[in-house]
Amino acid sequence: MTGLAAALAAGAALANGTPGTPDAAPVPEVAASAAAAVPQASVEVDAPPALKALLDQHLDIARVATLAPGSTLDDSEWARLIDGAPAQVRELLETEGYFDPTVIVARSVGNVGERHVRLELQPGPRTRVDRVSIEVEGPLAAAAEAGDEHALEALADLRQAWALPAGQAFRNPDWTAAKAAALARLRAAGYAGASWKATAAEVETAEHSVSLFLVADSGPLFRFGELVVDGLVVHERETVEHLAALAPGAPLTEAVLLDYQERLQKAGLFDSAAVTLDPDVSRADHARVLVHLKEAPLQVYTFGIGVSANTGPRASLEHAYRRVFGYALSASNTFSLAQKKQTWTGEISTHPGENLYRELIGGAVDREEGDEDIVLAQRVRLGRTKDTQRLERLVFVEAERSARTTTTGERLHTNTIAYSINHHGVWRELDSVVLPTEGFSVSLQTGVGHAHGSAGETGPFSRLYGRFTGYLPIGQAWYGSARVELGQVVKRDAVAVPDSQLFRAGGDDSVRGYAYRSLTPTVDGAESGGTSLMTASLELARPISAAMPSVWGAVFVDAGRAANGFTNLTPAIGTGVGVRWRSPVGPLKVDLAWGEETHSVRLHFSVGIAY
């Protein structure tokens, strides 16, 4: 059994890190004589390409060949470089995992006295990791031995995530990177003062194997004790404390701190938020979390213009008021005027309170034109919401009025009023909320209520809706996505409910190739919302070229329809191709879709992801 050679000696020592590929050594000083010129020297390295590049960059005798014309080297210095070349080659190759190379040196002199050296390298088998032993000392070891769940998870994660496992080729840079990554993982688990107590790599040259031994000193687990907040001007400290959602003594892992920072950023109250841990080991049991904030302007007006394949050209105005009349309340009002849809939505909510809940009151007026009718809906709701990175929950009671007027045939006008209790939730497990490529999201809505109107009888109803969207990388460059959407309104046939409680399909994020909300049942010669909904979509996309990785091409197939009962639901099919630009605010989609039923092509475009 032999130890690492000179190039790895520091890595086998009791140290926190191991140097990577050696820094370029200084080029030997050239001895020049004004009286007589010494013949030029040249070096040829015969080795596999990757190793040749390493030797050309770091081998002293090879770098001599790069000296400018006219430079000279005396005989004694040249002989010293030749004699030292084999040992230096071996040292360099050991950093790449070759511990038993064969080096052949051949010297020759040219016709004009030029000195030439040829280095022929046979690297031999590459050394591979045979065994990895990772041990931990300190508070983490004691806690794990006592059965502490957090300590056991941290220790298991440290070992399972080790980046240089048995069977992998050994390289000094990989050894260095693996140790750095493991230490960072341990610190991210809440042991911010963790360090390597000992690391060693023992090489068995004859067997071309290496055994890795590591011992970490975890240091204490940092636990939450105090918030130190700066940057507050008008908002309450209590809001910042509620957003922390940290119990005294909770482990301060990297994930906990990042989640807290994200909640501050998403609260809508601050232009910027930074959360860091005070690394003072002496305060680990009662650690300080440092929060630096910059408050957003109290009032903001936002103007926008756009166009949608569903509703046509659009202009919008949004007003955000982050502290209504000096109270810890936020208000928002949005006015949108489009060719086929005009809306106002407004809401007043409390700032996040205990357990991140916000109380809210809101209202909306929505006028929407279909191909055969106009629906005017007004609603007011009172509820409670809680938003996190993975989960969104909304519970509310709502009163709603819907007026529907047909625009074809005999004009019919109906009014319906409903009162309901509702629960909406969204669950996300995605690699990115804005630009997802892997994971899934699930949206579920339930509601029960009582309705009465001019087009039917008075009675109870319930509404169920679910939407699943999944994302999956396929190979190196392809990405797949799939969507399934189901909905059902349960009621007696004679009971009339507001049209907004019913379902329609067609258009962007539904069934492309068909007009917006056109895949719906017809009642008395006019389109109407359906009690049942089913849509599905499959899409395959990839970057168009390596030069433009954010521009993707896509092919897709959609199917679905709304109907009065699933037994009456025959899906309409839409197929097509599209282009996606993955912008910082979400994907911009442009699709050209063929409707199988209409035998026509429609252009669709949208921005963002629907959940």
Side-chain angles (χ1 to χ4, degrees), residues 521-538:
T522 299
V523 179
D524 297 328
E527 291 181 352
S528 175
T531 59
S532 303
L533 172 73
M534 188 283 292
T535 71
S537 177
L538 288 173

Side-chain angles (χ1 to χ4, degrees), residues 32-66:
S33 172
V38 180
Q40 287 289 307
S42 64
V43 176
E44 178 185 359
V45 177
D46 182 5
L51 298 180
K52 176 177 169 56
L54 174 72
L55 297 178
D56 285 342
Q57 182 179 359
H58 295 288
L59 194 62
D60 289 345
I61 195 170
R63 294 197 292 112
V64 164
T66 65

Side-chain angles (χ1 to χ4, degrees), residues 97-109:
Y98 297 97
F99 288 87
D100 192 21
T102 299
V103 184
I104 301 174
V105 180
R107 316 182 193 193
S108 62
V109 178

